[in-house]
Amino acid sequence: MCAVICSRGNGLAELDGDTLTCYGPGSVESLDKNWGIQAAGAVTNIVFKFIEYGDIVSKAFNKIRSKFPSANTYEFMANNIHSLQQINALSQIRKIESLTICEEGNPVTQISVWKHYTLFRLSHMSIKSLNGKEVTAEDIVTAEKLFGAVSQKAAEYLPNFRLLSLLPETRKKQVLAEEKSKNSNTICAQEDSKAYGSESSARALLSYSTIEQALQAQIDYTAKKRLAREMVQSIAKSTSAVDQVTAKLNNSWEKSFTKRVQAMCVEMLSSENYSKLKMDNYQVLEHT
C-alpha cells in the first residue's frame, strides 16, 4: 500500500507499507491526515528529511505518539540537529529501538560523544541500534561513566518538589504513594530503578528547550534578577535611613539629657530657693 499527499506545496508525506517518510517542512502538517487505524498501526519506521528539527519536535512528536503507536525506528536527515541538548527531545517519543541521525545536515554528529550521550539520555528506551550499528553493553557502560555522575550530582541539588515536576503524571503518582508509605526523602534513588521502565529523574533534568523557550527563560531570568537587585537596594536604603534616624535620636537624646541634668543642678544650687520653687508649683497645681 502506498499513499502520497502534499501539503502547502513545500512538503510531501509518503506512507509505504511499514515506513512513513516526510519530506520538507509542509509534510509535518500531513501527519494530521486520517491514515486509517490499520495502516497507521502497521507503521514501524518514520523518516524525516529536510525538516527543521524544532518543527519536528513541536509539531510531529505528539502526533506520532497518538497516531503511530507501533513506531520504533527513526531516521533524521538534514534536520539541523546541532547540539546535545536537542537529543533530549527524543525522550518525548514513546519507543525507540533503532535511531539514525545522518551526518548530512546534522552537525551534532561531529561531536565525539554524541552517541554515548544519546544512549545515556535515552537509556530507558533500550536502543538496540544507533546509526546502523548494534549497541553493545560496552557502549552503555561507557555512556554511564561519561554522563552518569554529572546528571546525578545535578539531581541531588534539586529539592524533591522540583524533581517531581519533571516526572510523567503516572510515575509522579507512584512516587508520591511510595513516599507516603515509606516516608522516603529521596526521589532519585527510587527513579534510578529500572523496574518501572521509565527514565530516571536525573536524566529527566536533561530536557529540551526551543529557541523561543530559551529566549523567554533568559528574559524571565533577567527580569527576576533586576527585581531582586531593586529589592536589595530598597532594603539597603531603608536600613540606612533607620540607622541615620537612630544615630540622630541617640545624639539628640544625649544632648537633651545633658542639658536637663545641668538645668536641675543649677536649680538645686540654692536648696532654699529650690524648695520654695517646688512648693509654689505644688500649690499652683493644687488650686487648679
Side-chain angles (χ1 to χ4, degrees):
M1 178 182 66
C2 180
V4 179
I5 64 171
C6 294
S7 175
R8 300 183 182 180
N10 62 349
L12 178 146
E14 179 182 31
L15 177 59
D16 187 4
D18 63 355
T19 301
L20 173 66
T21 305
C22 299
Y23 303 89
S27 63
V28 176
E29 304 298 335
S30 302
L31 295 177
D32 291 324
K33 172 183 171 58
N34 183 9
W35 300 93
I37 297 177
Q38 184 175 356
V43 172
T44 57
N45 308 317
I46 298 182
V47 182
F48 295 100
K49 296 184 177 182
F50 314 111
I51 310 171
E52 188 69 25
Y53 186 71
D55 292 336
I56 298 174
V57 175
S58 61
K59 299 177 182 180
F61 281 178
N62 286 337
K63 297 175 183 178
I64 289 172
R65 285 178 62 89
S66 59
K67 289 182 174 291
F68 306 99
S70 300
N72 56 35
T73 300
Y74 295 85
E75 180 178 347
F76 296 88
M77 178 184 292
N79 311 110
N80 192 29
I81 304 176
H82 54 80
S83 69
L84 296 180
Q85 188 254 6
Q86 291 175 296
I87 300 294
N88 300 335
L90 294 172
S91 63
Q92 300 175 27
I93 296 176
R94 187 187 303 274
K95 183 179 181 182
I96 301 178
E97 291 185 359
S98 177
L99 174 66
T100 299
I101 300 180
C102 300
E103 293 184 5
E104 179 185 351
N106 292 310
V108 71
T109 58
Q110 303 303 312
I111 301 175
S112 60
V113 295
W114 82 268
K115 290 184 178 180
H116 291 108
Y117 181 82
T118 302
L119 294 175
F120 170 77
R121 181 60 185 86
L122 306 177
S123 62
H124 61 290
M125 294 188 180
S126 301
I127 297 176
K128 298 177 181 178
S129 174
L130 185 58
N131 274 32
K133 294 184 179 181
E134 182 182 356
V135 175
T136 65
E138 183 180 355
D139 293 331
I140 297 174
V141 171
T142 302
E144 187 67 31
K145 286 181 178 179
L146 286 173
F147 300 102
V150 176
S151 66
Q152 188 66 29
K153 183 60 67 175
E156 289 175 1
Y157 281 95
L158 284 179
N160 281 3
F161 76 88
R162 179 70 181 101
L163 291 173
L164 278 172
S165 69
L166 298 171
L167 303 178
E169 281 300 319
T170 54
R171 188 66 185 102
K172 187 186 298 183
K173 292 178 181 178
Q174 290 175 338
V175 173
L176 288 174
E178 290 171 9
E179 273 200 320
K180 186 175 181 180
S181 61
K182 298 179 181 179
N183 193 25
S184 172
N185 293 320
T186 304
I187 296 175
C188 287
Q190 299 171 358
E191 285 304 294
D192 283 333
S193 172
K194 296 291 183 179
Y196 296 93
S198 61
E199 62 184 343
S200 71
S201 56
R203 287 170 171 79
L205 288 173
L206 305 171
S207 58
Y208 169 77
S209 299
T210 63
I211 295 177
E212 293 77 11
Q213 290 173 331
L215 290 175
Q216 185 59 49
Q218 182 62 37
I219 293 173
D220 292 343
Y221 171 76
T222 303
K224 291 177 181 178
K225 185 177 180 180
R226 181 172 61 252
L227 177 61
R229 184 187 299 112
E230 291 174 353
M231 291 180 64
V232 171
Q233 290 175 346
S234 176
I235 293 173
K237 289 180 180 178
S238 299
T239 303
S240 177
V242 170
D243 290 341
Q244 291 176 2
V245 171
T246 302
K248 290 181 179 179
L249 286 174
N250 289 336
N251 187 39
S252 62
W253 166 251
E254 184 179 352
K255 292 180 179 178
S256 176
F257 181 75
T258 301
K259 289 181 179 179
R260 183 59 180 165
V261 171
Q262 289 176 346
M264 293 181 66
C265 290
V266 171
E267 290 178 357
M268 295 178 66
L269 286 176
S270 174
S271 58
E272 183 177 348
N273 292 337
Y274 181 76
S275 299
K276 184 176 182 301
L277 177 63
K278 292 301 178 183
M279 185 61 69
D280 292 340
N281 292 337
Y282 175 74
Q283 290 176 352
V284 170
L285 292 172
E286 189 176 38
H287 287 300
T288 57

